[in-house]
């Protein structure tokens, strides 16, 4: 015993805590999420499944149930067996089998007593209750973020003297000294120059306002990056690449924990208010998933089962998009199309319910005061003409080109950040980018406002009461017989706005590349939509003026007579926004539905579909990956993309380990190894599991046992079973032979053995193996030849092989 304890201490093991048994394999090297310096000690906010493990009485691996409970050295289940190390992939088959066993047991017991029947009903209802709570919490947090960000954005320009908690718009709403033409100017709202030097006129006042704008932006950005760096490194970035990876079965403890939720909510407000080229929509998906994960701990069914928890997270992602865009149906489709790995029909219903509750909660809060869920909700009334599909498709081409350009340049910059000294100075990087953004943004009124307000103005269809420069047309008060504004010549204000928007477009295109991926919460939806909306508005105004001055051209004379309301520039902005967002993310169906829900008009679905599909085709021609998949690959996450086909003619024997000249496969025998032999193998190897064979000579496969389960079981046996020493024989058989007198007691570990691991033959085509890994969510698959064990293929091996076949770096895959 003393020898064993010394060896354990020498290897860094600690008695009494199975959390310390972390594999040091290459599969679990430290990782770097874009823009973070990971502190893996922060796992307290989402602990492992607390040792509350379902009894393994009916699961013996591979999803095959067994009616006989095999009695081993302990009556009760061993705490920690069946759980997973950090940065490992779950066993989907085992988790689903456990849930079926749990459900079968509850159903059988419900026939025995009234209390058991009530328990069965409450278990069935718990999923809907959880969706209700997720929707309420997500909607409430989204409303809080919207209100806070709006107020803090206006704080950079001034303050409301009648109530410091009012933003600019609400301050002037409550004023009795405001006219309709100057509704954004009221005596209660004071700019910083008015507060500091008592005037708002002159060069010095402009400099004071300029200085305060940059100062507030730097302060907000500094607070955001500092909070992320100190308290929650996982709170940075968009979160969607990691959410996709987690939903595919990967474990990142703490990524969806309470600290991450708290810090991400606070820093998201600060980051948006700083004026950086980022949005809150992507991070809101992360916030909603944090809500879902934390609330899962209130229900045993979801706390104890990683696969069931991921069904909840899929629904939470739908709720996040629902409150981000005010698009409940689009949120469900986004979760299905973009982030979810396993999405059964039951999850579809629950996602819809969670998205509905979240949208209703946000609507009740009414953060923008316009009875809408988003700032840029619009309604268009002018129908579009068939000829306009040409400029809509041109916008789709622009969106695809912008998406491909952004992905390549942003990934190159993020890789540079990871591989150079730049990544060691996150605070400096954020402050420099913020300073550049603020200094360049203030002189231009379209970059000075928040990006959401800019998109709202670009989407707007000019009416009689609009005072924006974009609506400064000549003869603006002449209306058609139907009361609509006809196409009319552009005034000085429109031409001035066009130049400013062109400069805004260049700034947004360049600065977004360097902003996305920094160590602050940063979404990509809004900046991408802004780029497309600017391009679309520019094209729309151009088409409008072309139709006005050349209405006799053949392309116009059949449908656009002089004085008619033919072209809607706001519609072009909306189509451009959809095209650019589609080019970056490669969304199609969910994107069109989100944009349709934003506008409330069915008649514009065809232009949106044309632009979205064109942008996807153009972007796919220049690069197959969307921005989220590119970041997943950049970070080496073990994500098997279900949309890609494997078309190479390789076999399982070409991918399995060991290869021809490698050492033999490390195996355990079912009845001839001592505790010391197993401990030696564990200490000398870094594998996450070991095949169990009848004997080394026969190599006949018995099953598969996980490294973590072995370590925990041996440690537990030493504590609770008298006489277990290093020379004790370990048995994986159902019946162990009688023990001769004066020999150490045996250790029976059959209950941790997977008796039906998935196997393929050495001549199985890799396209079938890849499909098995994708559709069953396997961690590993054993390779046999005529029943004899030859090797093993892990998920990491599959991903490395796919990368190698695609002429990519296979060593970029860091985890299994």
């Amino acid at each position: 015993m003393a020898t064993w304890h010394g060896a354990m201490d020498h290897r860094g093991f600690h008695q009494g805590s199975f959390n310390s048994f972390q594999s040091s394999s290459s599969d679990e090297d430290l990782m770097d999420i874009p823009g973070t310096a990971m502190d893996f000690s922060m796992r307290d906010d989402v602990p492992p499944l607390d040792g509350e493990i379902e009894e393994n009485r009916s699961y013996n691996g591979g999803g095959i149930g067994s009616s006989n409970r095999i009695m081993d050295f302990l009556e009760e289940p061993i705490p920690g067996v069946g759980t997973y190390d950090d940065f490992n992939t779950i066993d989907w088959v085992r988790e689903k089998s456990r849930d079926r066993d749990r459900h079968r047991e509850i159903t059988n017991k419900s026939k025995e007593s009234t209390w058991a029947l009530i328990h069965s009903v409450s278990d069935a209802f718990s999923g809907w209750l959880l969706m209700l709570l997720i929707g309420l919490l997500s909607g409430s947090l989204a409303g809080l973020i919207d209100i806070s960000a709006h107020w803090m954005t206006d704080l950079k320009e001034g303050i409301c003297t009648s109530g410091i908690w009012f933003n600019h718009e609400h301050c002037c709403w409550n004023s009795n000294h405001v006219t309709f033409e100057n509704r954004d100017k009221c005596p209660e709202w004071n700019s910083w120059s008015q507060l500091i030097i008592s005037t708002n006129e002159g060069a010095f006042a402009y400099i004071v306002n300029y200085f305060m704008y940059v100062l507030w932006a730097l302060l907000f950005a500094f607070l955001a990056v500092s909070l992320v760096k100190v308290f929650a490194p996982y709170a940075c970035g968009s979160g969607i690449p990691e959410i996709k990876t987690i939903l595919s079965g990967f474990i990142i403890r703490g990524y969806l924990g309470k600290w991450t939720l708290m810090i991400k909510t606070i820093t998201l407000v600060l980051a948006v208010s700083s004026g950086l080229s980022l949005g809150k929509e992507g991070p809101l998906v992360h916030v909603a998933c944090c809500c879902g994960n934390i609330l899962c701990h209130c229900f045993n069914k979801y706390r104890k089962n990683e696969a069931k928890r991921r069904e909840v997270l899929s629904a939470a992602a739908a709720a996040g998009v629902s409150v981000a865009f005010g698009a409940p149906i689009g949120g469900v489709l986004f979760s299905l199309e973009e982030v979810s790995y396993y999405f059964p029909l039951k999850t579809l219903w629950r996602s819809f319910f969670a998205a509905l509750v979240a949208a209703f909660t946000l609507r009740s809060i009414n953060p923008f005061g316009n009875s809408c869920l988003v700032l840029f909700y619009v309604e268009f009334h002018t129908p579009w003409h068939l000829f306009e599909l040409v400029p809509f498709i041109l916008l789709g081409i622009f969106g695809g080109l912008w998406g491909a350009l952004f992905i390549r340049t942003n990934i190159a910059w993020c890789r540079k950040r990871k591989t150079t000294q730049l990544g060691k100075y996150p605070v400096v990087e954020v402050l420099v980018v913020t300073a550049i953004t603020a200094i360049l943004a203030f002189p231009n009124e379209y970059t000075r406002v928040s990006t959401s307000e800019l998109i709202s103005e670009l989407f707007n269809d000019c009416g009689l009461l609009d005072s924006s420069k974009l609506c400064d047309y000549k003869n603006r008060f002449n209306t058609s017989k139907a009361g609509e504004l006809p196409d009319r010549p552009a005034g000085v204000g429109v031409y001035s706005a066009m130049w400013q928007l062109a400069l805004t477009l260049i700034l947004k295109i360049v600065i977004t590349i360097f902003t996305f991926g920094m160590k602050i919460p940063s979404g990509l939806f809004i900046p991408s939509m802004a780029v497309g909306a600017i391009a679309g508005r520019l094209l729309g105004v151009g088409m409008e003026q072309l139709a006005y001055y050349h209405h006799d051209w053949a392309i116009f004379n059949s449908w656009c007579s002089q004085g008619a309301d033919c072209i809607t520039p706001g519609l072009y902005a909306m189509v451009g926004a959809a095209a650019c967002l589609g080019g970056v993310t490669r969304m199609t169906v969910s994107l069109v539905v989100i944009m349709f829900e934003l506008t409330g008009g069915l008649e514009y679905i065809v232009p949106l579909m044309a632009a979205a599909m064109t942008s996807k085709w153009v972007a796919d021609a220049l690069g197959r990956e969307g921005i989220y998949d590119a970041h997943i690959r950049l970070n080496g996450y073990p994500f098997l993309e279900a949309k890609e086909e494997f078309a190479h003619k390789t076999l399982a024997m070409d991918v399995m380990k060991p290869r021809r000249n490698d050492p033999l496969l490390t195996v355990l025998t079912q009845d001839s190894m001592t505790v010391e032999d197993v401990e030696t193998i564990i200490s000398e190897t870094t594998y996450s599991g070991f095949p169990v064979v009848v004997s080394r000579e026969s190599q006949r496969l018995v099953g598969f046992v996980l490294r973590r389960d072995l370590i925990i079981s041996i440690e537990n046996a030493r504590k609770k079973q008298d006489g277990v020493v290093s020379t004790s024989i370990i048995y994986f058989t159902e019946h162990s032979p009688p023990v001769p007198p004066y020999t150490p007691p045996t250790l029976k570990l059959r209950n941790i053995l997977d008796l039906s691991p998935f196997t393929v033959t050495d001549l199985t085509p890799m396209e079938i193996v890849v499909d098995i890994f994708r559709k069953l969510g396997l961690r590993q698959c054993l390779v046999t030849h005529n029943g004899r064990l030859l090797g093993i293929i892990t998920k990491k091996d599959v991903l490395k092989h796919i990368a190698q076949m695609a002429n990519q770096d296979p060593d970029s895959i860091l985890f299994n």
Side-chain angles (χ1 to χ4, degrees):
M1 287 290 285
T3 305
W4 163 242
H5 283 301
M8 291 284 278
D9 291 338
H10 176 69
R11 295 174 204 141
F13 295 157
H14 300 282
Q15 289 284 351
S17 172
F18 65 79
N19 287 335
S20 61
F21 292 110
Q22 299 280 341
S23 168
S24 60
S25 71
S26 59
D27 297 357
E28 299 165 7
D29 292 339
L30 300 185
M31 72 170 179
D32 179 26
I33 288 178
T36 64
M38 292 295 104
D39 177 9
F40 295 137
S41 65
M42 296 182 64
R43 297 176 186 157
D44 58 320
D45 48 1
V46 181
L49 299 181
D50 306 324
E52 299 166 345
I53 308 304
E54 194 75 26
E55 290 188 81
N56 291 330
R57 63 181 180 279
S58 61
Y59 176 75
N60 283 319
I64 308 296
S66 170
S67 58
N68 300 320
R69 182 180 175 190
I70 301 170
M71 300 297 293
D72 285 353
F73 61 88
L74 288 175
E75 291 291 334
E76 70 277 0
I78 306 169
V81 168
T83 60
Y84 304 96
D85 282 330
D86 206 359
F87 307 110
N88 264 271
T89 303
I90 69 169
D91 188 332
W92 283 92
V93 176
R94 177 165 69 172
E95 295 300 309
K96 296 303 293 180
S97 175
R98 279 180 179 169
D99 184 62
R100 284 194 297 270
D101 294 340
R102 183 198 60 80
H103 186 264
R104 192 180 301 117
E105 181 183 357
I106 290 174
T107 303
N108 292 336
K109 284 184 177 180
S110 66
K111 303 172 184 177
E112 299 173 2
S113 66
T114 305
W115 175 250
L117 180 61
I118 293 173
H119 178 253
S120 174
V121 173
S122 67
D123 180 77
F125 180 70
S126 63
W128 295 101
L129 177 60
L130 181 55
M131 294 302 112
L132 176 67
L133 296 175
I134 290 172
L136 290 171
L137 186 55
S138 300
S140 301
L141 286 176
L144 176 66
I145 290 169
D146 286 336
I147 293 170
S148 303
H150 201 173
W151 174 72
M152 292 179 67
T153 299
D154 287 347
L155 190 62
K156 292 184 299 184
E157 297 188 25
I159 199 166
C160 186
T161 53
S162 62
I164 193 174
W165 54 88
F166 289 127
N167 60 39
H168 191 170
E169 190 175 18
H170 290 166
C171 183
C172 290
W173 275 358
N174 298 329
S175 174
N176 296 321
H177 307 91
V178 63
T179 61
F180 184 81
E181 290 77 11
N182 296 313
R183 53 189 177 273
D184 58 339
K185 296 177 182 178
C186 56
E188 289 82 2
W189 180 263
N190 289 326
S191 67
W192 290 109
S193 62
Q194 287 176 293
L195 291 171
I196 296 171
I197 61 173
S198 303
T199 181
N200 201 29
E201 304 295 331
F204 187 60
Y206 182 84
I207 292 171
V208 170
N209 287 329
Y210 202 150
F211 175 77
M212 292 302 296
Y213 181 92
V214 175
L215 184 65
W216 278 111
L218 289 171
L219 176 63
F220 292 155
F222 176 75
L223 288 174
V225 69
S226 300
L227 287 171
V228 167
K229 184 180 179 183
V230 174
F231 294 104
Y234 285 144
C236 70
S238 164
I240 293 180
E242 287 73 30
I243 297 296
K244 284 187 71 168
T245 310
I246 289 171
L247 290 179
S248 75
F250 196 53
I251 302 278
I252 308 178
R253 300 214 183 277
Y255 196 82
L256 301 176
K258 59 181 181 295
W259 269 107
T260 304
L261 173 62
M262 190 185 312
I263 298 302
K264 186 124 191 177
T265 303
I266 296 170
T267 54
L268 180 55
V269 174
L270 291 167
V272 171
S273 304
S274 68
L276 285 165
S277 183
L278 49 83
K280 61 181 182 298
E281 281 65 22
L284 276 175
V285 176
H286 188 186
V287 167
C289 286
C290 286
C291 296
N293 184 64
I294 292 167
L295 290 170
C296 276
H297 287 274
C298 302
F299 300 86
N300 281 342
K301 178 164 71 172
Y302 299 103
R303 183 176 71 245
K304 296 179 179 181
N305 193 290
E306 292 285 359
K308 294 293 289 181
R309 191 185 301 183
R310 275 152 180 76
E311 292 180 25
V312 173
L313 296 181
S314 292
V321 175
S322 172
V323 294
F325 289 103
I329 301 173
V332 175
L333 292 175
F334 173 82
S335 180
L336 173 62
E337 178 183 1
E338 188 63 25
V339 297
S340 292
Y341 192 82
Y342 175 67
F343 202 86
L345 190 60
K346 179 172 60 178
T347 303
L348 179 70
W349 301 334
R350 291 181 175 173
S351 299
F352 184 79
F353 179 64
L356 168 69
V357 174
F360 175 77
T361 305
L362 186 61
R363 172 65 180 79
S364 303
I365 296 172
N366 194 14
F368 303 109
N370 59 359
S371 299
C372 298
L373 301 181
V374 287
L375 190 59
F376 39 84
Y377 181 86
V378 289
E379 287 186 6
F380 300 126
H381 304 288
T382 306
W384 60 278
H385 191 268
L386 188 63
F387 167 74
E388 290 184 280
L389 276 179
V390 175
F392 292 153
I393 289 173
L394 288 176
L395 285 173
I397 294 172
F398 172 78
L401 294 173
W402 146 251
L405 169 70
F406 175 81
I407 291 169
R408 289 196 179 188
T409 50
N410 179 254
I411 291 298
W413 180 252
C414 289
R415 185 175 288 112
K416 184 179 180 64
R417 182 188 291 122
K418 287 168 67 75
T419 56
T420 63
Q421 296 292 319
L422 179 65
K424 296 181 180 179
Y425 304 100
V427 178
V428 175
E429 181 190 10
V430 169
L431 291 179
V432 168
V433 173
T434 304
I436 293 172
T437 304
I439 291 169
L440 295 177
F442 186 83
N444 187 337
E445 63 180 282
Y446 293 112
T447 50
R448 189 188 314 164
V449 298
S450 71
T451 313
S452 294
E453 290 179 21
L454 172 62
I455 293 173
S456 177
E457 188 165 346
L458 293 169
F459 280 9
N460 184 41
D461 188 15
C462 289
L464 284 172
L465 304 178
D466 285 304
S467 58
S468 166
K469 286 168 63 175
L470 281 170
C471 299
D472 183 20
Y473 289 91
K474 299 175 184 176
N475 308 323
R476 57 179 302 200
F477 295 109
N478 291 343
T479 61
S480 61
K481 294 179 181 179
E484 296 176 338
L485 283 175
D487 288 345
R488 52 220 182 279
V492 177
V494 173
Y495 288 116
S496 173
M498 292 299 100
W499 280 108
Q500 287 180 291
L501 283 175
L503 294 174
T504 303
L505 179 63
I506 296 170
L507 176 62
K508 291 286 183 186
I509 286 175
V510 174
I511 207 69
T512 306
I513 292 169
F514 300 98
T515 304
F516 187 70
M518 292 196 304
K519 295 186 182 179
I520 52 173
S522 54
L524 192 57
F525 284 17
I526 288 297
S528 300
M529 289 177 66
V531 169
I534 295 169
R537 188 77 187 205
L538 292 172
L539 181 61
V541 172
M543 286 293 296
E544 181 187 47
Q545 296 305 300
L546 197 65
Y548 177 80
Y549 286 108
H550 303 283
H551 59 273
D552 53 342
W553 284 9
I555 58 175
F556 294 121
N557 62 12
S558 61
W559 59 280
C560 185
S561 59
Q562 189 173 19
D565 184 19
C566 305
I567 307 291
T568 306
L571 173 61
Y572 283 72
M574 186 187 72
V575 171
C580 282
L581 185 55
V584 171
T585 63
R586 310 299 161 84
M587 296 190 306
T588 51
V589 179
S590 57
L591 173 63
V592 171
V593 173
I594 287 171
M595 299 304 292
F596 148 63
E597 289 185 87
L598 279 178
T599 57
L602 278 170
E603 58 189 309
Y604 303 112
I605 282 186
V606 172
L608 289 170
M609 290 175 68
M613 283 309 305
T614 305
S615 69
K616 178 173 170 57
W617 287 333
V618 172
D620 281 346
L622 300 173
R624 297 291 297 173
E625 293 177 320
I627 186 64
Y628 301 127
D629 294 328
H631 273 277
I632 286 172
R633 186 164 60 84
L634 178 68
N635 292 303
Y637 298 145
F639 183 77
L640 264 175
E641 179 57 69
K643 302 170 190 172
E644 296 293 331
E645 293 292 331
F646 184 85
H648 303 283
K649 295 184 177 181
T650 50
L651 302 175
M653 62 188 299
D654 301 324
V655 181
M656 73 175 191
K657 291 182 178 177
R659 303 289 174 84
R660 271 186 188 166
N661 297 322
D662 290 349
L664 294 175
L665 185 67
T666 303
V667 297
L668 306 180
T669 57
Q670 66 174 357
D671 56 7
S672 61
M673 297 187 73
T674 64
V675 170
E676 184 177 19
D677 294 335
V678 173
E679 290 166 356
T680 301
I681 288 175
I682 289 172
S683 65
E684 292 179 353
T685 62
T686 58
Y687 308 126
S688 59
F690 305 95
V692 178
V693 295
V694 174
S695 66
R696 296 186 188 278
E697 293 75 25
S698 71
Q699 291 290 308
R700 298 291 177 184
L701 184 64
V702 176
F704 191 85
V705 64
L706 294 176
R707 174 195 190 92
R708 178 184 175 86
D709 291 354
L710 265 180
I711 294 172
I712 294 170
S713 300
I714 292 174
E715 181 194 37
N716 199 73
R718 285 186 178 278
K719 288 180 180 177
K720 297 187 177 181
Q721 185 178 356
D722 293 334
V724 174
V725 293
S726 297
T727 55
S728 297
I729 301 293
I730 293 180
Y731 284 96
F732 292 101
T733 54
E734 189 167 359
H735 303 288
S736 54
V739 180
Y742 307 112
T743 58
T746 60
L747 181 58
K748 192 173 177 187
L749 298 182
R750 186 178 176 85
N751 70 332
I752 66 170
L753 181 65
D754 179 352
L755 289 173
S756 55
F758 282 89
T759 59
V760 295
T761 68
D762 52 336
L763 297 179
T764 304
M766 272 307 294
E767 58 184 330
I768 294 178
V769 175
V770 170
D771 264 353
I772 291 173
F773 271 88
R774 278 177 181 154
K775 293 173 181 176
L776 295 179
L778 299 185
R779 302 176 68 186
Q780 68 276 319
C781 181
L782 301 176
V783 182
T784 61
H785 177 74
N786 293 336
R788 291 169 56 90
L789 180 66
L790 277 189
I792 186 171
I793 299 175
T794 64
K795 189 176 183 180
K796 183 176 179 180
D797 295 328
V798 172
L799 288 164
K800 283 191 168 187
H801 182 65
I802 292 173
Q804 198 169 6
M805 292 293 101
N807 295 319
Q808 297 170 354
D809 180 16
D811 293 328
S812 63
I813 310 299
L814 301 178
F815 308 103
N816 190 28

